[in-house]
Short mmCIF file of all heavy atoms in Angstrom, two decimals:
data_model
loop_
_atom_site.label_atom_id
_atom_site.label_comp_id
_atom_site.label_asym_id
_atom_site.label_seq_id
_atom_site.Cartn_x
_atom_site.Cartn_y
_atom_site.Cartn_z
N CYS Q 910 -42.64 -43.54 -82.24
CA CYS Q 910 -43.40 -44.40 -83.15
C CYS Q 910 -44.79 -43.79 -83.26
O CYS Q 910 -45.73 -44.21 -82.58
CB CYS Q 910 -43.44 -45.83 -82.62
SG CYS Q 910 -44.16 -47.01 -83.79
N VAL Q 911 -44.90 -42.80 -84.13
CA VAL Q 911 -46.14 -42.04 -84.26
C VAL Q 911 -46.68 -42.19 -85.68
O VAL Q 911 -46.22 -43.03 -86.45
CB VAL Q 911 -45.93 -40.57 -83.86
CG1 VAL Q 911 -45.66 -40.47 -82.35
CG2 VAL Q 911 -44.78 -39.93 -84.62
N LEU Q 912 -47.66 -41.34 -86.03
CA LEU Q 912 -48.38 -41.54 -87.28
C LEU Q 912 -47.54 -41.31 -88.52
O LEU Q 912 -47.51 -42.13 -89.44
CB LEU Q 912 -49.61 -40.63 -87.31
CG LEU Q 912 -50.47 -40.70 -88.57
CD1 LEU Q 912 -51.06 -42.09 -88.75
CD2 LEU Q 912 -51.58 -39.65 -88.51
N ASP Q 913 -46.84 -40.17 -88.56
CA ASP Q 913 -46.12 -39.81 -89.77
C ASP Q 913 -45.05 -38.77 -89.46
O ASP Q 913 -44.84 -38.40 -88.28
CB ASP Q 913 -47.08 -39.28 -90.85
CG ASP Q 913 -47.95 -38.13 -90.36
OD1 ASP Q 913 -47.60 -37.48 -89.34
OD2 ASP Q 913 -49.00 -37.86 -90.98
N ASP Q 914 -44.37 -38.29 -90.49
CA ASP Q 914 -43.29 -37.33 -90.30
C ASP Q 914 -43.78 -36.05 -89.64
O ASP Q 914 -43.10 -35.49 -88.78
CB ASP Q 914 -42.66 -37.00 -91.67
CG ASP Q 914 -41.53 -36.01 -91.57
OD1 ASP Q 914 -40.49 -36.34 -90.98
OD2 ASP Q 914 -41.69 -34.87 -92.07
N ALA Q 915 -44.97 -35.59 -90.01
CA ALA Q 915 -45.51 -34.37 -89.41
C ALA Q 915 -45.70 -34.55 -87.91
O ALA Q 915 -45.42 -33.63 -87.12
CB ALA Q 915 -46.83 -34.00 -90.07
N ALA Q 916 -46.16 -35.72 -87.48
CA ALA Q 916 -46.35 -35.98 -86.06
C ALA Q 916 -45.02 -36.04 -85.32
O ALA Q 916 -44.91 -35.60 -84.17
CB ALA Q 916 -47.12 -37.29 -85.87
N VAL Q 917 -43.99 -36.58 -85.99
CA VAL Q 917 -42.64 -36.59 -85.40
C VAL Q 917 -42.19 -35.17 -85.14
O VAL Q 917 -41.74 -34.81 -84.05
CB VAL Q 917 -41.64 -37.31 -86.31
CG1 VAL Q 917 -40.21 -37.15 -85.78
CG2 VAL Q 917 -41.98 -38.79 -86.43
N ARG Q 918 -42.31 -34.33 -86.17
CA ARG Q 918 -41.87 -32.94 -86.06
C ARG Q 918 -42.64 -32.20 -84.97
O ARG Q 918 -42.07 -31.39 -84.22
CB ARG Q 918 -42.09 -32.23 -87.39
CG ARG Q 918 -41.27 -32.80 -88.55
CD ARG Q 918 -39.86 -32.31 -88.50
NE ARG Q 918 -39.14 -32.62 -89.73
CZ ARG Q 918 -38.03 -32.01 -90.10
NH1 ARG Q 918 -37.52 -31.04 -89.35
NH2 ARG Q 918 -37.41 -32.34 -91.21
N GLU Q 919 -43.92 -32.49 -84.89
CA GLU Q 919 -44.76 -31.82 -83.90
C GLU Q 919 -44.26 -32.09 -82.48
O GLU Q 919 -44.34 -31.21 -81.61
CB GLU Q 919 -46.20 -32.31 -84.04
CG GLU Q 919 -47.17 -31.68 -83.04
CD GLU Q 919 -48.56 -32.28 -83.13
OE1 GLU Q 919 -48.82 -33.09 -84.06
OE2 GLU Q 919 -49.40 -31.95 -82.26
N GLN Q 920 -43.73 -33.28 -82.25
CA GLN Q 920 -43.29 -33.64 -80.91
C GLN Q 920 -41.86 -33.19 -80.62
O GLN Q 920 -41.58 -32.70 -79.51
CB GLN Q 920 -43.41 -35.15 -80.71
CG GLN Q 920 -44.81 -35.69 -80.85
CD GLN Q 920 -45.81 -34.98 -79.95
OE1 GLN Q 920 -45.50 -34.57 -78.84
NE2 GLN Q 920 -47.04 -34.82 -80.44
N ILE Q 921 -40.96 -33.34 -81.57
CA ILE Q 921 -39.56 -33.12 -81.22
C ILE Q 921 -39.07 -31.69 -81.46
O ILE Q 921 -38.17 -31.23 -80.75
CB ILE Q 921 -38.63 -34.13 -81.94
CG1 ILE Q 921 -38.59 -33.91 -83.45
CG2 ILE Q 921 -39.01 -35.54 -81.61
CD1 ILE Q 921 -37.50 -34.73 -84.11
N GLU Q 922 -39.62 -31.00 -82.44
CA GLU Q 922 -39.09 -29.67 -82.71
C GLU Q 922 -39.23 -28.72 -81.52
O GLU Q 922 -38.28 -27.99 -81.19
CB GLU Q 922 -39.71 -29.10 -83.98
CG GLU Q 922 -39.20 -29.78 -85.24
CD GLU Q 922 -39.73 -29.16 -86.52
OE1 GLU Q 922 -40.67 -28.34 -86.45
OE2 GLU Q 922 -39.18 -29.50 -87.59
N PRO Q 923 -40.38 -28.70 -80.82
CA PRO Q 923 -40.46 -27.82 -79.64
C PRO Q 923 -39.55 -28.28 -78.49
O PRO Q 923 -39.29 -27.51 -77.56
CB PRO Q 923 -41.94 -27.92 -79.23
CG PRO Q 923 -42.65 -28.43 -80.44
CD PRO Q 923 -41.67 -29.33 -81.10
N ALA Q 924 -39.09 -29.53 -78.56
CA ALA Q 924 -38.28 -30.09 -77.47
C ALA Q 924 -36.80 -30.13 -77.83
O ALA Q 924 -36.03 -30.88 -77.23
CB ALA Q 924 -38.77 -31.49 -77.13
N ALA Q 925 -36.38 -29.31 -78.79
CA ALA Q 925 -34.99 -29.35 -79.26
C ALA Q 925 -33.99 -29.20 -78.12
O ALA Q 925 -33.00 -29.93 -78.04
CB ALA Q 925 -34.78 -28.27 -80.32
N ALA Q 926 -34.24 -28.24 -77.23
CA ALA Q 926 -33.30 -28.01 -76.13
C ALA Q 926 -33.23 -29.21 -75.20
O ALA Q 926 -32.15 -29.58 -74.70
CB ALA Q 926 -33.71 -26.76 -75.36
N LEU Q 927 -34.36 -29.86 -74.96
CA LEU Q 927 -34.39 -31.04 -74.09
C LEU Q 927 -33.65 -32.22 -74.71
O LEU Q 927 -33.06 -33.04 -74.01
CB LEU Q 927 -35.84 -31.45 -73.81
CG LEU Q 927 -36.68 -30.52 -72.95
CD1 LEU Q 927 -38.12 -31.01 -72.92
CD2 LEU Q 927 -36.12 -30.44 -71.54
N LEU Q 928 -33.69 -32.32 -76.03
CA LEU Q 928 -33.11 -33.47 -76.72
C LEU Q 928 -31.63 -33.33 -77.00
O LEU Q 928 -30.98 -34.30 -77.39
CB LEU Q 928 -33.86 -33.70 -78.05
CG LEU Q 928 -35.30 -34.20 -77.92
CD1 LEU Q 928 -35.99 -34.18 -79.28
CD2 LEU Q 928 -35.32 -35.61 -77.32
N ARG Q 929 -31.08 -32.14 -76.82
CA ARG Q 929 -29.66 -31.93 -77.11
C ARG Q 929 -28.82 -32.91 -76.29
O ARG Q 929 -28.95 -33.02 -75.09
CB ARG Q 929 -29.26 -30.49 -76.80
CG ARG Q 929 -27.83 -30.15 -77.20
CD ARG Q 929 -27.57 -28.66 -77.17
NE ARG Q 929 -28.30 -27.99 -78.25
CZ ARG Q 929 -29.30 -27.14 -78.07
NH1 ARG Q 929 -29.71 -26.86 -76.84
NH2 ARG Q 929 -29.90 -26.57 -79.09
N GLY Q 930 -27.96 -33.64 -76.99
CA GLY Q 930 -27.09 -34.61 -76.34
C GLY Q 930 -27.71 -35.99 -76.15
O GLY Q 930 -27.04 -36.91 -75.71
N ARG Q 931 -28.97 -36.13 -76.50
CA ARG Q 931 -29.64 -37.42 -76.37
C ARG Q 931 -29.68 -38.14 -77.72
O ARG Q 931 -29.43 -37.55 -78.77
CB ARG Q 931 -31.06 -37.26 -75.84
CG ARG Q 931 -31.15 -36.52 -74.50
CD ARG Q 931 -32.61 -36.41 -74.02
NE ARG Q 931 -32.76 -35.40 -73.00
CZ ARG Q 931 -32.60 -35.61 -71.70
NH1 ARG Q 931 -32.28 -36.82 -71.28
NH2 ARG Q 931 -32.75 -34.62 -70.82
N THR Q 932 -30.04 -39.41 -77.67
CA THR Q 932 -30.21 -40.20 -78.89
C THR Q 932 -31.69 -40.40 -79.15
O THR Q 932 -32.44 -40.81 -78.26
CB THR Q 932 -29.53 -41.58 -78.76
OG1 THR Q 932 -28.13 -41.41 -78.52
CG2 THR Q 932 -29.71 -42.40 -80.03
N VAL Q 933 -32.11 -40.11 -80.38
CA VAL Q 933 -33.49 -40.30 -80.80
C VAL Q 933 -33.52 -41.40 -81.85
O VAL Q 933 -32.76 -41.36 -82.83
CB VAL Q 933 -34.10 -39.01 -81.37
CG1 VAL Q 933 -35.47 -39.28 -82.00
CG2 VAL Q 933 -34.21 -37.95 -80.28
N VAL Q 934 -34.37 -42.39 -81.65
CA VAL Q 934 -34.59 -43.44 -82.64
C VAL Q 934 -36.00 -43.24 -83.19
O VAL Q 934 -36.99 -43.40 -82.46
CB VAL Q 934 -34.44 -44.85 -82.03
CG1 VAL Q 934 -34.70 -45.91 -83.10
CG2 VAL Q 934 -33.06 -45.02 -81.43
N ASN Q 935 -36.08 -42.89 -84.45
CA ASN Q 935 -37.38 -42.64 -85.07
C ASN Q 935 -37.83 -43.90 -85.80
O ASN Q 935 -37.29 -44.24 -86.85
CB ASN Q 935 -37.31 -41.46 -86.03
CG ASN Q 935 -38.68 -41.13 -86.62
OD1 ASN Q 935 -39.71 -41.45 -86.01
ND2 ASN Q 935 -38.69 -40.53 -87.79
N LEU Q 936 -38.82 -44.58 -85.24
CA LEU Q 936 -39.35 -45.79 -85.85
C LEU Q 936 -40.69 -45.54 -86.54
O LEU Q 936 -41.45 -46.47 -86.80
CB LEU Q 936 -39.48 -46.90 -84.81
CG LEU Q 936 -38.15 -47.37 -84.21
CD1 LEU Q 936 -38.38 -48.46 -83.18
CD2 LEU Q 936 -37.20 -47.85 -85.30
N THR Q 937 -40.95 -44.28 -86.83
CA THR Q 937 -42.13 -43.88 -87.61
C THR Q 937 -41.85 -44.12 -89.08
O THR Q 937 -40.76 -43.83 -89.56
CB THR Q 937 -42.44 -42.40 -87.36
OG1 THR Q 937 -42.59 -42.18 -85.96
CG2 THR Q 937 -43.67 -41.96 -88.11
N THR Q 938 -42.81 -44.63 -89.81
CA THR Q 938 -42.63 -44.85 -91.24
C THR Q 938 -42.62 -43.52 -91.98
O THR Q 938 -43.59 -42.75 -91.91
CB THR Q 938 -43.75 -45.75 -91.80
OG1 THR Q 938 -43.75 -46.99 -91.09
CG2 THR Q 938 -43.53 -46.02 -93.29
N THR Q 939 -41.51 -43.24 -92.67
CA THR Q 939 -41.38 -42.00 -93.44
C THR Q 939 -40.71 -42.31 -94.77
O THR Q 939 -40.25 -43.44 -95.00
CB THR Q 939 -40.52 -40.96 -92.69
OG1 THR Q 939 -39.17 -41.45 -92.57
CG2 THR Q 939 -41.06 -40.68 -91.29
N THR Q 940 -40.61 -41.31 -95.63
CA THR Q 940 -39.86 -41.47 -96.87
C THR Q 940 -38.38 -41.26 -96.58
O THR Q 940 -38.01 -40.64 -95.56
CB THR Q 940 -40.30 -40.47 -97.94
OG1 THR Q 940 -39.87 -39.15 -97.56
CG2 THR Q 940 -41.82 -40.48 -98.13
N PRO Q 941 -37.49 -41.73 -97.46
CA PRO Q 941 -36.06 -41.49 -97.26
C PRO Q 941 -35.71 -40.01 -97.12
O PRO Q 941 -34.91 -39.64 -96.25
CB PRO Q 941 -35.42 -42.11 -98.51
CG PRO Q 941 -36.38 -43.20 -98.89
CD PRO Q 941 -37.74 -42.64 -98.60
#
């Protein structure tokens, strides 16, 4: 639950390997 789509990407893209197999719920307001 961060500022915007860019902030989401900033956090999760470098952590791709860590997130593999996990569930991410993005409650950040973004466009469709």
Side-chain angles (χ1 to χ4, degrees):
C910 188
V911 291
L912 179 62
D913 54 19
D914 180 66
V917 172
R918 297 281 191 161
E919 179 185 353
Q920 299 306 325
I921 68 170
E922 288 184 348
L927 291 174
L928 290 171
R929 186 168 290 114
R931 304 181 197 273
T932 300
V933 172
V934 179
N935 184 24
L936 296 180
T937 304
T938 302
T939 66
T940 70

